[in-house]
Amino acid sequence: MSFYALWQEQDWQSVQQSVLDCTQGDVEQALQRQGKRTVEDFMALISPAADAYLEPLAQLSAQLTRRRFGHTMQLFIPLYLSNLCANDCSYCGFSMSNAIQRKTLNEQEVEAECRALKKQGFDSVLLVTGEHERKVGMAYFRTMLPVISRYFSHIAMEVQPLSEAEYAELRSLGVASVLVYQETYNEQVYAEHHLRGRKQDFKWRLQTPERIGQAGIDKIGLGALLGLTDWRTDSVATAMHLRYMQKHYWRSRYSVSFPRLRPCAGGVEVAAEVNDRQLVQLLCAFRLFDAELELSLSTRESAYFRDHAATLGATHFSAGSKTQPGGYADQAIALEQFSTEDNRSPLQVAEALQKQGLQPVWKDWELGLS
Amino acid sequence: MTWMIDGVELQSRLLSGSGKFGSASLMRAALEASGTEIVTLALKRIEHDMQSDDMLSATADLPLHLLPNTSGAKDAKEAIFAAQLGRELLQTNWVKLEIHPDPRHLLPDPVETLLAAEQLVKQGFTVLPYCHADPVLCKRLQEVGCAAVMPLGSPIGSNQGLQTRDFLQIIIEQASVPVIVDAGIGAPSHAAEAMELGADAVLVNTAIASSGNPVVMARAFAQAVSAGRQAFEAGLAGRHNGASASSPLTAFLE
């Protein structure tokens, strides 16, 4: 059974209500659970009732994280290849109806970006594009990946959903990890925010992680865009999705991200805000749900928040991010996907981590091994 | 709560064996007391003229699913032959796949078991493989289409309980098919422990059949399995994690 079919058996309102109905007793049981925690435990840990237990939750999360990951933080940087997009999404600065300057990097420009990033110390890169099958599709990736893989030992991608065969080809071109965020697991809300383009196909997107797993990609990233609708219900769906994926595609590693909706050109109002306290609760709940899970916090979050959250459960930080194509080699360009909060340089982020006793790690994998 | 194997709904989470009993009537009484719905039988021991088979005639009127096992097979080829024989004799697609080339400890051969499982699934069998408590092997067995996995608690017939506990836990956490802990369960407390871990069922033969009173022991196992399952469903309380008075990690949110 596909996750799509499994999720269709769930009723959004009932899931939402079950989380709200969790008691302090449920939270205590979830905190004290020996062995693997259940989705019900996760629901209790993100429930309003768990707010009173935030400190013990954070303590447990910090312990589990140090036990599994040691005193390290993996650093990576997004490399925006293109902001062309054939979708209209209410929350994204790249939306086709936004009158921003469009740019797709050519081979020389990609190389210039790679060199600029390499100079900053990064060996792990996340390639990002808008969704434009024709101009920024497999043919483009086939040309650019051999260039990029000369510079980085770990390549992750966050691009439009592809077919299983295309993921298998990306893998052979050196892509070790693929991130595809569902944005929201609420099919109706999803329809309200995706107004044009192939991204309107909820089912195709929801089944993407399964195609990635089938293609044998080493690491798969999941997540919901927090703020489109009730973040708790979306997070329960993410947790269920994660468990489903882990059962069926057990050779892959998994990561979860917690992007909070950020202001962007022509963007929507945040419908359901997640405050800092709740974001910490969510991050720690995921850690208790899965001790091996990689948890990523981007520069969407402030330096203050990230410095404190670093020891609580996060394992991956981006740093020095520019969300516009060509932004590393040429500082003057301004056509960003969203505005970042933590604008420190990678070196400054690394120093802040070291002050907290965490070693910044710039490398994730040796390409020659795969 | 019921559970399923291959679409068949089952009430009892205790599977029994049919070997080692002092008599066929004692076996029948013990099986009834155990409440079991699935009973294994060794193909090597069935009389081919089934009317004269003690075990089969003694249980013919009980509501049991017979699960022929390939015990005695030393490799995949022998096990596949035994499975086909079982299908013909007992009119069932179910087979408990057992391959143990080592006659001393009767430990299962992982390589031959995986090979045989893959072929038997292709031939339409519902395969329940007996295997070591190896989480990766269990994943591989699920991938080739096994209907359940049957990892061992300790060497078969040894009554040593869950020596493989930590690995069983991983197998249970990862499983997408039922996990039946098989072999080594020597006491009702061992069975309860497996059920508390979250196993879907246990298989017990020697500890019942070799007991001084198999009927009473069968009932004791049935109760232990039921108690362990209820405890798992209720959720065990963990060691207490006291909340600290100060908030060193979350004070920054104030």
Side-chain angles (χ1 to χ4, degrees), chain A residues 27-307:
Chain A
V27 179
E28 285 178 17
Q29 174 160 309
L31 284 171
Q32 291 170 15
R33 171 86 64 203
Q34 304 293 305
K36 202 157 188 116
R37 291 185 174 83
T38 62
V39 171
E40 288 72 30
D41 290 334
F42 179 79
M43 288 161 83
L45 295 174
I46 62 166
S47 73
D51 182 70
Y53 295 85
L54 193 58
E55 182 62 25
L57 174 61
Q59 296 277 359
L60 265 177
S61 172
Q63 269 173 34
L64 286 170
T65 307
R66 296 288 80 80
R67 192 165 80 197
R68 170 65 180 79
F69 295 92
H71 300 271
T72 64
M73 179 69 73
Q74 183 80 45
L75 293 181
F76 70 96
I77 191 148
L79 169 46
Y80 280 72
L81 297 172
S82 168
N83 61 7
L84 277 183
C85 197
N87 291 316
D88 240 333
C89 309
S90 63
Y91 49 82
C92 180
F94 285 178
S95 289
M96 64 185 291
S97 60
N98 275 353
I100 59 164
Q101 194 186 336
R102 300 291 169 168
K103 171 90 188 157
T104 301
L105 303 184
N106 63 30
E107 219 170 310
Q108 288 70 36
E109 289 164 328
V110 166
E111 193 137 20
E113 288 286 274
C114 289
R115 270 197 295 262
L117 291 180
K118 203 68 190 174
K119 243 186 247 168
Q120 299 185 35
F122 289 101
D123 196 34
S124 185
V125 73
L126 167 65
L127 306 179
V128 187
T129 67
E131 299 199 359
H132 204 291
E133 304 269 347
R134 200 163 42 79
K135 289 190 178 156
V136 191
M138 283 307 291
Y140 180 80
F141 301 142
R142 262 178 223 122
T143 314
M144 297 308 167
L145 282 167
V147 177
I148 298 163
S149 62
R150 285 205 296 273
Y151 291 88
F152 300 98
S153 66
H154 185 268
I155 300 176
M157 278 184 108
E158 189 181 333
V159 304
Q160 64 271 27
L162 301 168
S163 70
E164 183 191 325
E166 287 168 332
Y167 285 124
E169 190 184 346
L170 288 182
R171 183 177 176 225
S172 73
L173 290 167
V175 173
S177 143
V178 177
L179 287 61
V180 59
Y181 301 135
Q182 185 55 32
E183 318 301 9
T184 176
Y185 288 82
N186 183 317
E187 197 158 359
Q188 193 189 329
V189 174
Y190 186 94
E192 288 161 17
H193 289 279
H194 300 97
L195 306 167
R196 256 196 300 179
R198 189 155 189 207
K199 197 168 173 179
Q200 284 178 299
D201 191 341
F202 179 82
K203 188 177 175 186
W204 171 250
R205 191 167 188 91
L206 191 53
Q207 289 178 331
T208 305
E210 287 158 67
R211 297 194 300 277
I212 301 171
Q214 204 71 47
I217 296 279
D218 177 52
K219 186 158 77 184
I220 303 172
L222 305 175
L225 181 55
L226 305 177
L228 288 180
T229 180
D230 178 51
W231 63 271
R232 290 192 168 95
T233 313
D234 260 334
S235 299
V236 173
T238 308
M240 289 173 66
H241 201 176
L242 174 70
R243 276 287 149 86
Y244 174 91
M245 289 298 296
Q246 287 173 324
K247 274 207 172 155
H248 291 84
Y249 306 100
W250 54 280
R251 289 177 179 82
S252 297
R253 292 186 284 161
Y254 291 89
S255 70
V256 166
S257 301
F258 314 92
R260 284 197 277 191
L261 203 49
R262 298 280 312 144
C264 73
V268 285
E269 289 287 305
V270 180
E273 205 195 342
V274 187
N275 65 34
D276 285 359
R277 216 178 145 81
Q278 291 166 334
L279 186 57
V280 166
Q281 186 186 351
L282 181 58
L283 179 103
C284 296
F286 264 111
R287 172 57 65 232
L288 265 64
F289 185 60
D290 190 321
E292 284 80 40
L293 187 62
E294 297 183 2
L295 299 175
S296 175
L297 272 183
S298 79
T299 55
R300 284 169 186 264
E301 303 302 336
S302 70
Y304 175 79
F305 184 85
R306 292 214 305 165
D307 282 354

Side-chain angles (χ1 to χ4, degrees), chain B residues 148-165:
Chain B
V149 287
M150 305 184 72
L152 57 82
S154 52
I156 201 163
S158 72
N159 292 339
Q160 289 178 60
L162 307 188
Q163 300 296 320
T164 57
R165 183 189 162 95

Side-chain angles (χ1 to χ4, degrees), chain B residues 100-124:
Chain B
H100 20 70
D102 155 26
R104 198 163 145 237
H105 300 290
L106 298 175
L107 290 171
D109 182 327
V111 178
E112 295 293 319
T113 301
L114 183 61
L115 277 173
E118 186 165 18
Q119 292 189 37
L120 287 170
V121 169
K122 283 184 187 149
Q123 291 177 24

Side-chain angles (χ1 to χ4, degrees), chain B residues 122-205:
Chain B
K122 283 184 187 149
Q123 291 177 24
F125 283 92
T126 296
V127 182
L128 293 84
Y130 168 59
C131 59
H132 211 290
D134 177 335
V136 173
L137 176 63
C138 284
K139 275 299 204 185
R140 298 287 300 264
L141 288 165
Q142 290 170 50
E143 280 181 345
V144 300
C146 291
V149 287
M150 305 184 72
L152 57 82
S154 52
I156 201 163
S158 72
N159 292 339
Q160 289 178 60
L162 307 188
Q163 300 296 320
T164 57
R165 183 189 162 95
D166 291 355
F167 301 99
L168 289 173
Q169 178 123 45
I170 297 171
I171 292 166
I172 290 164
E173 283 168 7
Q174 294 183 344
S176 46
V177 296
V179 177
I180 304 165
V181 177
D182 181 12
I185 292 180
S189 56
H190 299 154
E193 187 185 358
M195 297 309 294
E196 284 168 12
L197 277 183
D200 293 277
V202 295
L203 190 152
V204 182
N205 183 17

